[in-house]
Amino acid sequence: MRNLKLTALGALACILLAGCAEKDDIERKVDELLSKMTLREKIGQMHQVSGGADLAEAAAKGEIGSILNCVDPDQINAVQRAAVEQSRLGIPVIVGRDVIHGFRTIFPIPLGLAATFDPELVEQGARVAAVEATASGVRWTFSPMLDIARDPRWGRVAEGSGEDPYLDTQMGVAMVRGYQGDDLADASSMAACIKHFVGYGAVEGGRDYNSTMISERSLRNTYFPAFKACVDAGALTLMTSFNEIDGIPSTGNDFLLRDVLRKEWGFDGMVVTDWNSSGEMIAHGFAKDLKQATEQSVNAGVDMDMMSFGFINFIEELVAEGKIKETTIDDAVRNILRLKFRLGLFDNPYVDASKTRAAAYTPESLEAARRSAAESAILLKNDGGVLPLDDVRTILVTGPMADAPYDQLGTWAFDGEPEHTVTPLAALRERYDVIYEPGLAYSRDRNTADLAKVRAAAARAEAVVVFVGEEAILSGEAHSLSVLNLQGAQSELIAEAAKSGKPVVVVVMAGRPLTIERDLANCDAMLYSFHPGTMGGEALADIIEGKISPSGKTPITFLRDAGQAPFYYNHNNSGRPCNGTETLLEDIPMQAGQTSLGCTSYYLDTGYGPLFPFGYGLSYTTFEYSGIALDSTTLSKDGVLGVEFDLTNTGGRDGVEVVQLYTRDLVGSVVRPVRELKRFERVALAAGETKHLRFEIPVADLAFWTRDMKYEVEPGEFQLWVAGDSASGEPHAFTVE
Ligand code: GLC
C-alpha cells in the first residue's frame, strides 16, 4: 500500500512538474518573441477586427492580433496564411466568435441550460460546441456569460444562468471546462471568455447598456464569485462590460482589471473589451475622445481592443507622449502571446477545411442537444395530471411557436441552421394524429382572424397543445421590454383554446421568464422552455407524450408583473418583511385609514410573492423529503455541515428531482440574504423508490464579505433548508461558534 501511495504521489509530482515546465517554456517563448517586436507590431496584436479574407492584407503587415465573426475555414486560413507566412514575425491571429449555446448544433439558450441544474450535461454541450466551432477555425468563444440577472425586462437574461451566484458558478465553470477541454493545445480546444466583467445584469430598469449602482460589497458577494471560480478553473480570457458602475465604465476601471482581476485573483489570461466599449466611454462622458478612451482602457488593464480602432490609431502617439508606458504595452502583448502559445496556434495555425462539415450535427451532438432541451423544460402547472398526453390520439397543435425553426433557436445562434431544427409540430406528427392550425403567424401577430379556425379545429381534437412565446429577436442584446406579457394575440389564442372545453397544454418558448399568470388560468398544464434549440421539438414531444418526465427548475424568479422587478429569491429581508397580513387593492375599504393596510414590503396590486420562485419545477411524479438530520447543530468555523435525508418518489412514474440545499445567516455584521443556494444535485428515482442522501457543506462556504470588507464566516445562528425549490422546506437550525 505504501508503495502504491508513493507511486501516486510520484505521478502527481511529475504531472505538476511537467505543467510547470510547460508554463515556463511558454513564458520563455513569449519573452523571446516580445523582445523582437517593434512597438507597431505590439500594437497590432492588441487590435481585433471583425471580418474575414478582407483582413489578409492587414494581417500580412502584422496590424491585426485577432479577427472575429468569420466562420469560413478557407477565409480564416487566408488571413492566417497572411499573418504566419507574410508578416515579419509570423504571429498567428486568433479567431473569435460568439459561440454562446452551440455552433451548428444549437443547445437551449444559457438560461435554459441553467434550468437543467446539470453542470455535467452543460459541460458536454460546451465540448460539442467547441468541436464544431474549432473545425471551422474558431479557437475563441465569447462565452460563458456570467452576468447575474435579477430583472427579466433585460433581454440578456437569456444569455446567462439567472439570478443565483452558486448556479451561475457551476454553469460557468462547466462551460469553461467544456470549451477548453483537457489539452489547450489540442485543435478542438476553444478559449473561453468570461463576460461581461462586471455587473452588467444590474442595469437600472432592466434597460440594456444603462447605468448600474453596485457597492463593492455587493460586487464581491454577488457578482464576482462566478468570475473568480472561472478564473480558478483556468478561463483563458475575460471581456469587459459596457456598463459603468457608480460612474466608472468597466473598460476603464483599474480597480476591476488590475486590483481585483490581476492582483487579488492572479489572472494571467487576456482581457478584451466588448465591442467598441472603449470608444463608448466617450458617450459615457468618461473620455473626451477616442485617444483618451484608449489611454484609459490600456492603463486600466485592457489587453485587446474589439472594434474601437483606438488602440491601432493612438497607442503609438500615447506612448510617445508618455501617457502609456511601453512596459504596459509589453504586459498586454505578453497576455496575448501567452494565449496564442497556450492554444498551440504557433505550431498549428491552420484549420483543415475538409473536416469542417463532418464535425457538425453528429448523432452524439444532436443527442446531447436533445437531452439538454429535455432537461431544461420546466413544468409549471399540471392540473389533473393532464400531462403526459398518453391517452389520446388526435391533438390540435396551434400557436406561432409550434413550427418556428428559426425562432426556436433563440438569441445568439448566429451559426445555427434552421433547416436542421426539429420543431414541436414535426416531432408531434410522428407521435399523434395532429390537426395543425397555427392561429397566429408569429409571436407579435395581433391578427385574430384565424382564431375561429382554431376553435373549429379544437372541436375535432381530444386535446389542444398551444405553442406560444417570443420570436428570437425579442430577447438578447439591446432587446429589453418594459411589459412582459405574451406579445400579440397569444393570450387570446390560449383563451380561445380554453373555450373548447378540451384539455389545454400551453408550451412557452421564450428568452426570458414572461408574466404568464393570466395564461396559466386558461390552461390545464404549462411547460416552459427557454428557446430549446435544434432538438427542442423532439425533447418537448418526448415530454408531452410521457417518454420523459420533466425535471427543469426555474433559474430565475417568474414575476406576476414586470413592475415587481427586480425580484430575486436571495434578497435581504428588509425591516418590514411581508407577513401575509397585507391588504390588497380589491379589499381596501373606502376611506381606509392611512396606516390600516399593513405597513410591510408589498404591492397593493400584485401583493408580495412572485408567480414562481427560483428553483421551482414540477414533475410527472411527486417527491417527499424526510428524515432530514444534521450531523451536528454546533459547528466550528473550520468544520463541515453534514446533512442526511431520505428522498422518496411518492408517485407512479420515474422522475428526477433537483435537490437544493439553502442556508441563511440570521444575523451578520451586514444584513444577509433570506436564503442562499449552497448545493444542488439531480437525483433520479424510480416510482416508489427511496434514496438516502448525504451532503457536506464546509462551514467555510458560509463566508461572505463582511462590514469590514473581510471575507470570513461570522459566528452565530444559521438555518438550513433541503427542498425542491427556494420557497419550500422547513428551516433546520445550527450554530457556528
Ligand atoms: C456584443 C456583446 C458581446 C459579444 C460581442 C461580440 O456587443 O455585448 O457579448 O461577445 O459584442 O459579438
Side-chain angles (χ1 to χ4, degrees):
M1 189 59 181
R2 178 176 160 70
N3 289 340
L4 195 59
K5 278 187 178 177
L6 285 174
T7 308
L9 281 174
L12 180 62
C14 290
I15 291 167
L16 290 174
L17 285 172
C20 292
E22 184 192 355
K23 203 165 181 175
D24 293 345
D25 185 44
I26 286 179
E27 291 313 306
R28 181 182 54 73
K29 289 175 180 173
V30 166
D31 287 338
E32 185 182 333
L33 179 51
L34 186 67
S35 67
K36 299 173 184 170
M37 295 173 76
T38 66
L39 178 59
R40 282 303 306 169
E41 287 166 335
K42 293 173 186 176
I43 295 167
Q45 287 302 305
M46 299 169 75
H47 183 42
Q48 180 185 52
V49 186
S50 180
D54 56 309
L55 299 173
E57 186 180 341
K61 295 174 185 169
E63 292 175 352
I64 288 184
S66 172
I67 66 173
L68 75 155
N69 293 336
C70 178
V71 295
D72 177 311
D74 295 327
Q75 290 199 49
I76 287 171
N77 281 334
V79 177
Q80 198 66 291
R81 203 163 286 114
V84 171
E85 299 170 18
Q86 295 174 44
S87 76
R88 188 176 77 88
L89 292 171
I91 301 172
V93 299
I94 179 168
V95 181
R97 181 65 164 172
D98 290 286
V99 184
I100 306 300
H101 52 107
F103 183 68
R104 297 295 183 202
T105 303
I106 300 299
F107 285 71
I109 56 173
L111 193 58
L113 292 173
T116 69
F117 282 71
D118 190 343
E120 285 176 23
L121 183 57
V122 169
E123 179 176 343
Q124 186 185 346
R127 187 86 298 263
V128 166
V131 168
E132 292 189 350
T134 55
S136 284
V138 172
R139 293 296 306 276
W140 180 21
T141 178
F142 306 121
S143 174
M145 194 263 229
L146 302 176
D147 298 298
I148 292 289
R150 296 166 157 174
D151 189 334
R153 293 174 294 178
W154 188 47
R156 303 198 78 166
V157 295
E159 301 170 56
S161 295
E163 68 193 42
D164 179 73
Y166 181 75
L167 179 60
D168 189 26
T169 295
Q170 301 304 310
M171 291 296 150
V173 168
M175 287 182 193
V176 167
R177 288 184 177 142
Y179 290 141
Q180 297 185 174
D182 299 328
D183 175 6
L184 296 178
D186 185 282
S188 75
S189 174
M190 182 164 69
C193 183
I194 53 180
K195 72 182 187 182
H196 306 80
F197 195 58
V198 70
Y200 184 18
V203 285
E204 288 179 356
R207 195 173 77 246
D208 207 357
Y209 312 120
N210 202 5
S211 297
T212 66
M213 184 60 76
I214 312 172
S215 70
E216 180 181 337
R217 184 177 295 109
S218 292
L219 282 175
R220 291 184 180 281
N221 283 328
T222 300
Y223 295 93
F224 282 175
F227 283 93
K228 171 68 167 57
C230 287
V231 166
D232 293 345
L236 290 176
T237 73
L238 172 142
M239 181 185 290
T240 64
S241 61
F242 284 127
N243 59 293
E244 40 88 0
I245 300 175
D246 191 14
I248 303 176
S250 302
T251 305
N253 190 327
D254 57 329
F255 164 71
L256 295 178
L257 303 180
R258 292 198 185 283
D259 299 346
V260 174
L261 187 61
R262 302 289 185 187
K263 293 173 187 164
E264 282 187 43
W265 296 355
F267 182 60
D268 70 351
M270 197 265 281
V271 174
V272 65
T273 71
D274 199 339
W275 187 288
N276 187 36
S277 63
S278 177
E280 289 183 3
M281 294 199 290
I282 302 165
H284 275 295
F286 192 71
K288 66 177 186 296
D289 54 27
L290 188 55
K291 180 177 176 182
Q292 187 184 23
T294 299
E295 176 190 351
Q296 289 164 329
S297 302
V298 173
N299 286 333
V302 170
D303 300 321
M304 185 176 280
D305 168 28
M306 181 192 288
M307 290 301 285
S308 90
F309 290 83
F311 286 29
I312 196 73
N313 288 318
F314 294 106
I315 287 181
E316 195 165 17
E317 202 177 315
L318 288 162
V319 169
E321 293 167 2
K323 291 177 179 173
I324 295 177
K325 295 176 184 156
E326 187 156 357
T327 52
T328 303
I329 302 302
D330 290 348
D331 291 343
V333 175
R334 265 196 198 89
N335 294 330
I336 296 167
L337 296 179
R338 183 179 306 117
L339 171 65
K340 294 181 177 182
F341 276 114
R342 282 173 166 172
L343 288 174
L345 284 174
F346 286 88
D347 299 327
N348 297 299
Y350 305 116
V351 58
D352 180 349
S354 70
K355 295 179 179 171
T356 300
R357 288 310 295 180
Y361 305 116
T362 65
E364 298 76 18
S365 301
L366 293 172
E367 174 53 17
R370 187 203 58 75
R371 262 191 68 206
S372 300
E375 291 191 14
S376 71
I378 304 166
L379 182 60
L380 296 175
K381 178 182 182 182
N382 192 21
D383 284 2
V386 160
L387 279 175
L389 295 178
D390 54 7
D391 54 356
V392 299
R393 280 305 316 150
T394 305
I395 63 172
L396 166 63
V397 172
T398 183
M401 296 300 287
D403 193 33
Y406 172 82
D407 291 308
Q408 181 175 313
L409 300 182
T411 189
W412 290 105
F414 287 138
D415 304 303
E417 296 168 318
E419 59 271 27
H420 287 267
T421 301
V422 179
T423 65
L425 176 64
L428 289 169
R429 277 180 164 154
E430 292 172 4
R431 294 161 169 84
Y432 296 94
D433 297 335
V434 169
I435 303 166
Y436 177 51
E437 275 299 344
L440 298 169
Y442 56 101
S443 70
R444 289 165 293 140
D445 190 359
R446 297 190 175 284
N447 179 353
T448 57
D450 284 354
L451 296 194
K453 291 181 187 172
V454 173
R455 187 165 53 246
R460 305 195 325 265
E462 296 173 84
V464 182
V465 188
V466 193
F467 290 88
V468 293
E470 291 181 311
E471 293 151 82
I473 192 65
L474 300 180
S475 64
E477 182 173 353
H479 303 154
S480 303
L481 288 168
S482 62
V483 177
L484 298 177
N485 300 333
L486 282 172
Q487 297 289 340
Q490 297 184 101
S491 292
E492 289 82 347
L493 171 63
I494 294 169
E496 197 61 47
K499 289 175 192 165
S500 69
K502 303 293 176 60
V504 175
V505 174
V506 169
V507 180
V508 183
M509 279 195 220
R512 55 162 54 87
L514 296 169
T515 46
I516 36 93
E517 188 166 24
R518 57 178 174 160
D519 308 298
L520 271 171
N522 280 328
C523 66
D524 301 288
M526 183 179 282
L527 270 173
Y528 214 93
S529 173
F530 293 110
H531 288 131
T534 303
M535 297 301 285
E538 283 293 341
L540 290 167
D542 283 346
I543 289 172
I544 289 167
E545 74 164 344
K547 195 172 164 187
I548 294 173
S549 175
S551 59
K553 297 283 187 174
T554 52
I556 188 170
T557 299
F558 277 58
L559 307 178
R560 294 183 184 285
D561 187 284
Q564 291 181 294
F567 193 112
Y568 44 98
Y569 88 93
N570 44 359
H571 60 81
N572 296 336
N573 203 26
S574 86
R576 291 195 177 187
C578 174
N579 57 21
T581 62
E582 294 70 24
T583 305
L584 296 181
L585 214 55
E586 57 274 10
D587 303 328
I588 298 174
M590 299 289 285
Q591 296 172 14
Q594 169 66 26
T595 59
S596 65
L597 302 182
C599 299
T600 59
S601 181
Y602 81 110
Y603 299 97
L604 292 176
D605 47 6
T606 55
Y608 168 71
L611 185 59
F612 296 107
F614 171 86
Y616 176 87
L618 301 175
S619 169
Y620 286 162
T621 186
T622 50
F623 299 99
E624 185 179 278
Y625 294 78
S626 61
I628 298 172
L630 280 60
D631 294 356
S632 168
T633 56
T634 304
L635 298 156
S636 64
K637 284 187 180 181
D638 58 1
V640 174
L641 172 64
V643 56
E644 297 190 16
F645 57 94
D646 288 335
L647 181 66
T648 302
N649 178 339
T650 49
R653 285 176 177 268
D654 297 356
V656 174
E657 168 71 326
V658 177
V659 170
Q660 300 154 52
L661 275 72
Y662 296 89
T663 60
R664 180 180 182 179
D665 184 349
L666 288 171
V667 177
S669 58
V670 293
V671 299
R672 308 285 296 118
V674 295
R675 282 204 198 194
E676 293 180 286
L677 182 67
K678 294 295 182 184
R679 291 292 182 278
F680 63 80
E681 184 177 319
R682 290 173 59 86
V683 180
L685 288 170
E689 181 184 7
T690 293
K691 281 183 179 171
H692 184 75
L693 300 163
R694 175 177 176 78
F695 285 81
E696 295 188 349
I697 303 174
V699 173
D701 284 8
L702 304 177
F704 68 101
W705 289 85
T706 64
R707 182 168 186 168
D708 300 332
M709 290 304 279
K710 293 189 181 112
Y711 186 67
E712 55 190 18
V713 178
E714 291 183 341
E717 304 307 312
F718 289 78
Q719 291 173 327
L720 168 80
W721 289 264
V722 179
D725 65 57
S726 61
S728 300
E730 295 303 322
H732 295 262
F734 65 95
T735 303
V736 173
E737 291 182 325

